Amino acid sequence: MEKAGIVFECIRCGAKVPSEEIELRGGEVKCIICGYRILKKIKPPVVKRVKAE
Ligand SMILES: [Zn+2]
């Protein structure tokens, strides 16, 4: 769980992809929206478990 909280951002469409999502999909770093493979690592928002809307 050392990677928990890391979020990747797709440089193509800007989608935010949490590392949990990456692991659910077999560990391949890939945009879940457009499938692009180049994501940059960003810090997660300071928000905790609040639903952002
Ligand atoms: Zn994308």
Side-chain angles (χ1 to χ4, degrees):
M1 290 293 280
E2 75 276 357
K3 285 199 292 184
I6 293 177
V7 178
F8 296 93
E9 183 180 308
C10 177
I11 65 167
R12 189 199 214 184
C13 73
K16 305 275 195 309
V17 186
S19 61
E20 290 91 340
E21 201 67 39
I22 299 288
E23 283 174 29
L24 281 177
R25 287 157 193 270
E28 187 180 13
V29 177
K30 189 174 167 184
C31 178
I32 57 175
I33 305 298
C34 72
Y36 204 60
R37 291 189 177 207
I38 302 177
L39 311 188
K40 64 180 178 182
K41 201 179 287 184
I42 59 174
K43 285 189 176 177
V46 189
V47 183
K48 295 186 177 173
R49 287 277 173 186
V50 183
K51 278 206 170 180
E53 179 58 328

